[in-house]
Amino acid sequence: MEKQHWPLWEIFIRSRQGLSHRHVGSLHAADAEMAIENARDVYTRRQEGVSIWAVPASEITASSPDEKDVLFDPADDKVYRHPTFYDLPDEVKNM
Amino acid sequence: MEMDLLQRFEAYVASEKKIEPKDWMPDAYRKTLIRQISQHAHSEIVGMLPEGNWISRAPSLKRKAILMAKVQDEAGHGLYLYSACETLGVQRDDTIADLHSGKAKYSSIFNYPTLTWADIGAVGWLVDGAAIMNQVPLCKCSYGPYARAMVRVCKEESFHQRQGFQIMMNLAQGTAEQKAMAQDALNRWWWPSIMMFGPPDDNSPNSAQSMAWNIKRFSNDELRQKFIDLTVPQAELIGLTIPDPQLKWNEETGHYEHGPIDWKEFKQVIAGHGPCNKERLDARRKAWDEGAWVREAAAAHADKRAAQKANTAAA
């Protein structure tokens, strides 16, 4: 049996103006136009979106979960990046 | 080394954290999920058939529109689930081929026929009701993509159950003939519906492992009991009788006790000898085979357009 693999697309939806697009899942489509049409039918049957991005899954570069520690460690010991690190005198009510 | 990874994995999952697609996972965890999610996806897709059977004969335009929306939702649910399954490293076409070859299973409930319009009511009320009971705990499953797909499915599924109950309620409050039709549908769908929760706990070989991995949260019998406790009063409310002469309320436990379930029938249907097994698989294969030219044409069209674009860019 001959196989016709349509490529995989990752779908991102903006649920309303003012919010970012958010990943909702993936689907198969022959091309970008069809990916948008299919995404409309699969992921927005109840007005979940005002805008769709379809990205070929093969074009996404992802960080590797195995390197998670090496990649994110440097942020671990920098508590001074958070406002709670700094003690303020009680007299300062708002800062 | 492998042992170390396994222990870390199990401790991680036990602490209610989520596993994402590229994370390390034991082979058996991956295989269990692929089996379960693909079966689940197939069930949504095959589940379109018994309901689709009534779209052209729905008793009013409103009912037809509602049923179409419901069947379209089932297609959507199948697609969310195939998409989740694919994150585990399987190809969509292979998953579908496994359904068509009979290697993969789907929920045995869809091997029963929908004989009257009341069956559409019974399917929504009981079958979708039982499915929701199974699916709500899956929203907290340890595998992220599956859990997220289930959140979407559960949100949409509650309209399905309500529309089914409404059909049953309207029929039950109608003429004697309509009420008899509703009762007949309940009689036929009750037992297969409570079998949807799977074999009893003392005979459910995969359950313990799935529980340990936080894929499964409640045992089959627990969920079955919950469903019965919730559904019996609903039937009473609309004046229908659950077809189980031994059904009775136990004041002490606060639960209904039910009569024996015919597990022989369950096994028969799973083994392929239900009333509609052949019809369902034939319909799926036919749809796939007859759609081949559409898939090919769309691929050819996409290639042509890509070539045109490349030409224009070069010129």
Side-chain angles (χ1 to χ4, degrees):
Chain A
M1 196 177 76
E2 192 207 348
K3 276 190 183 167
Q4 287 284 341
H5 283 302
W6 286 354
L8 187 68
W9 303 77
E10 297 296 336
I11 305 301
F12 299 78
I13 306 250
R14 184 201 298 288
S15 56
R16 59 185 162 83
Q17 298 295 103
L19 296 178
S20 325
H21 285 75
R22 192 171 157 200
H23 183 245
V24 291
S26 63
L27 51 76
H28 287 268
D31 58 21
E33 286 79 5
M34 190 197 264
I36 297 277
E37 284 162 14
N38 288 356
R40 199 259 330 246
D41 291 345
V42 177
Y43 293 108
T44 66
R45 287 191 303 284
R46 287 175 177 78
Q47 299 173 298
E48 289 96 336
V50 293
S51 164
I52 301 171
W53 287 350
V55 182
S58 58
E59 294 296 314
I60 291 180
T61 308
S63 65
S64 154
D66 303 334
E67 288 161 12
K68 196 156 56 184
D69 293 345
V70 190
L71 202 58
F72 299 109
D73 252 0
D76 262 7
D77 55 359
K78 295 180 180 61
V79 277
Y80 46 81
R81 285 191 164 138
H82 299 278
T84 44
F85 176 75
Y86 301 90
D87 288 327
L88 290 179
D90 291 343
E91 288 78 7
V92 182
K93 300 278 187 237
N94 262 315
M95 184 182 280
Chain B
M1 180 59 193
E2 187 80 349
M3 202 52 222
D4 192 38
L5 278 172
L6 183 64
Q7 276 171 357
R8 263 176 42 199
F9 175 87
E10 297 203 322
Y12 182 83
V13 166
S15 67
E16 295 290 327
K17 290 191 186 119
K18 303 286 181 194
I19 301 298
E20 294 295 340
K22 297 276 165 59
D23 293 342
W24 185 88
M25 61 186 88
D27 257 359
Y29 178 84
R30 185 185 301 275
K31 274 192 195 132
T32 299
L33 279 170
I34 291 175
R35 199 194 61 227
Q36 181 171 337
I37 301 174
S38 66
Q39 262 183 33
H40 198 160
H42 297 328
S43 302
E44 301 283 354
I45 298 299
V46 176
M48 295 164 75
L49 297 169
E51 300 195 300
N53 181 36
W54 279 90
I55 289 178
S56 61
R57 288 172 287 156
S60 71
L61 205 53
K62 185 179 109 189
R63 299 247 186 234
K64 188 194 285 243
I66 293 174
L67 186 57
M68 272 167 59
K70 180 172 189 293
V71 173
Q72 197 190 14
D73 270 355
E74 308 297 1
H77 297 174
L79 290 170
Y80 307 154
L81 287 159
Y82 281 130
S83 148
C85 192
E86 233 170 340
T87 63
L88 291 157
V90 288
Q91 292 281 343
R92 177 83 51 102
D93 287 2
D94 295 336
T95 309
I96 291 171
D98 284 347
L99 169 69
H100 295 169
S101 72
K103 189 178 153 203
K105 302 273 181 241
Y106 54 88
S107 181
S108 61
I109 193 84
F110 300 118
N111 290 315
Y112 292 89
T114 41
L115 302 178
T116 71
W117 172 250
D119 288 38
I120 297 304
V123 167
W125 175 35
L126 302 173
V127 176
D128 288 321
I132 292 172
M133 203 61 88
N134 268 328
Q135 286 166 347
V136 167
L138 286 172
C139 296
K140 292 209 279 174
C141 154
S142 60
Y143 188 58
Y146 192 25
R148 292 191 286 273
M150 291 324 300
V151 170
R152 299 183 66 92
V153 168
C154 286
K155 245 192 232 163
E156 300 181 355
E157 203 76 58
S158 59
F159 124 67
H160 297 182
Q161 194 188 12
R162 287 181 184 203
Q163 70 90 33
F165 184 68
Q166 196 189 55
I167 291 174
M168 290 301 260
M169 189 165 64
N170 290 351
L171 287 171
Q173 291 164 350
T175 63
E177 226 180 336
Q178 287 170 325
K179 186 171 180 183
M181 193 195 257
Q183 182 63 53
D184 169 63
L186 173 57
N187 291 350
R188 282 179 292 108
W189 287 94
W190 174 254
W191 291 103
S193 296
I194 66 171
M195 288 184 210
M196 278 177 72
F197 297 96
D201 294 348
D202 50 17
N203 188 23
S204 178
N206 301 323
S207 283
Q209 183 62 80
S210 286
M211 291 265 213
W213 280 335
N214 272 345
I215 296 174
K216 203 175 163 69
R217 297 279 170 160
F218 299 98
S219 80
N220 296 352
D221 286 334
E222 279 175 311
L223 290 170
R224 183 167 16 249
Q225 187 65 54
K226 230 169 132 181
F227 175 75
I228 294 173
D229 289 346
L230 240 121
T231 311
V232 174
Q234 293 167 1
E236 282 170 0
L237 184 74
I238 57 175
L240 296 179
T241 310
I242 302 285
D244 177 358
Q246 292 180 49
L247 186 81
K248 62 166 192 281
W249 175 251
N250 183 326
E251 196 69 56
E252 257 168 59
T253 59
H255 294 294
Y256 284 93
E257 287 169 8
H258 59 84
I261 298 172
D262 182 5
W263 292 110
K264 260 207 326 251
E265 176 184 324
F266 181 71
K267 281 190 192 130
Q268 283 265 318
V269 179
I270 286 190
H273 309 299
C276 300
N277 295 57
K278 189 178 176 310
E279 188 185 327
R280 300 292 184 239
L281 268 188
D282 284 350
R284 285 315 313 155
R285 288 194 200 108
K286 183 166 175 267
W288 180 259
D289 293 343
E290 291 182 357
W293 72 270
V294 180
R295 294 191 296 277
E296 283 162 25
H301 182 65
D303 287 347
K304 192 178 83 183
R305 275 214 290 211
Q308 277 170 350
K309 230 184 214 167
N311 273 340
T312 327

